[in-house]
Amino acid sequence: MKRIILLLALIVILVAGWSGAWLYAAGQISKQIALMATPAPGSPTVTCGNLSVTGFPFRFDVTCAQADISDGDILIEVPEIKATALVYRPTHIIAFAEGPLRYTDAFFGTDQRIRWDKAKGSLRMNGWLLERLSLHMENLEYIDTLLGETLIASAPVMEMHLLNMPERHDADTRLASFAGFARTEGATMPAYQIADGRVTFEAEISNLPDDIRLWSDPALPRLWQQADGRLTLLRLATDDSETSLLLEGELGLSPIGEVEGNMTLTSNGLAERFGDLIPTELRGLVFGTPQADGGMKQIMTITRGAVIAGFAPLGVIPPLF
């Protein structure tokens, strides 16, 4: 009889301890989300109209209804974002979002929406080191709603991934490098008569802090420059039945935050499709010189933030710090 009583007492203690630990962790999650409503200067503000943490006893299901992300004049509104993680695997988070997302910019008078049927994200961490971040969306529509509804672009599927490159992780300097990939197919842009378009993006970014918490630090661009960080655009390719574009290059920052680097633009059919948007005398500066295959090629140099196509300046990118 005593053994049964001791066993029951042990079970009660374990259940009480587990429940207390779960409730404490749930409270800390709510507290951290609430802190995002009063972030550090220069960081966006995140608020939830209704926040709940459920899933006891083996999961944490965090639901943020009426999510607002604001940064100055910019406001992003999402009806609901839900993230879930297992108690014994808290570094692997699966997230879902319900649309439409509304984007407004009070300064420019912008009012746009993004609709979708399905949006799923996945985040996998190793401590505070990002291992993989993925997003998959289906049946996207990008719409301008300032005056009625105007479809800007649509795509049946889009996926994006950011992956850690473990072979380039420096544990001594606490710096990590990442590979990015994104693609979409069947895209349309009615204003430019684009149908069945494809976009592929591949890039690498080196020497970011391996602690993801530092990525929201306003000083991140300066830290990245001091670590000799580089953004290598391996491939930004777009094409449809009439046009194609390929952009490649490498970018970095100067000691005073100015963008520097080189880019190569190879295109076919762009001058014909978008030429009306660019004065005739400037088309050669933008698209470059004709090639033997009928396409065009342009070399762009960015020095101290100034974008130069061939020998002609196209514009200036403000310093990042």
Side-chain angles (χ1 to χ4, degrees), residues 212-243:
I212 194 174
R213 293 173 295 181
L214 296 176
W215 292 12
S216 61
D217 190 335
L220 179 63
R222 186 185 300 275
L223 296 174
W224 186 61
Q225 186 279 325
Q226 292 173 347
D228 194 27
R230 309 294 294 178
L231 172 63
T232 303
L233 182 58
L234 301 174
R235 178 181 178 85
L236 174 57
T238 67
D239 69 89
D240 63 3
S241 59
E242 299 180 10
T243 61

Side-chain angles (χ1 to χ4, degrees), residues 152 187-197 240-243 272-274 276:
I152 300 174
T188 66
M189 295 183 70
Y192 300 106
Q193 294 80 50
I194 294 177
D196 195 24
D240 63 3
S241 59
E242 299 180 10
T243 61
E272 292 77 9
R273 171 166 279 175
F274 300 105
D276 292 342

Side-chain angles (χ1 to χ4, degrees), residues 34-40 45-46:
L35 287 175
M36 291 191 291
T38 55
T45 299
V46 181

Side-chain angles (χ1 to χ4, degrees), residues 51-131:
L51 176 66
S52 64
V53 182
T54 58
F56 179 83
F58 299 118
R59 298 195 320 273
F60 291 109
D61 297 329
V62 182
T63 303
C64 175
Q66 301 172 4
D68 290 350
I69 304 170
S70 60
D71 188 1
D73 294 320
I74 296 174
L75 174 63
I76 297 174
E77 302 170 85
V78 183
E80 182 177 281
I81 301 173
K82 183 176 181 179
T84 183
L86 297 172
V87 171
Y88 51 85
R89 195 186 298 166
T91 56
H92 187 192
I93 301 171
I94 305 295
F96 305 88
E98 291 187 4
L101 176 152
R102 183 185 182 190
Y103 172 89
T104 55
D105 188 326
F107 183 80
F108 291 103
T110 303
D111 192 341
Q112 298 172 339
R113 284 173 173 78
I114 301 177
R115 297 172 180 163
W116 59 81
D117 287 345
K118 179 181 178 181
K120 179 181 179 181
S122 174
L123 172 66
R124 189 168 68 242
M125 305 285 296
N126 180 5
W128 290 108
L129 172 64
L130 173 68
E131 288 194 342

Side-chain angles (χ1 to χ4, degrees), residues 307-319:
V307 183
I308 302 172
F311 298 99
L314 292 182
V316 177
I317 303 173

Side-chain angles (χ1 to χ4, degrees), residues 159-195:
E159 63 174 305
M160 296 185 290
H161 306 277
L162 184 64
L163 299 92
N164 177 37
M165 304 173 70
E167 69 279 5
R168 291 168 58 178
H169 179 222
D170 191 327
D172 295 330
T173 60
R174 302 296 304 274
L175 296 175
S177 297
F178 300 87
F181 171 80
R183 75 169 183 92
T184 185
E185 297 181 355
T188 66
M189 295 183 70
Y192 300 106
Q193 294 80 50
I194 294 177

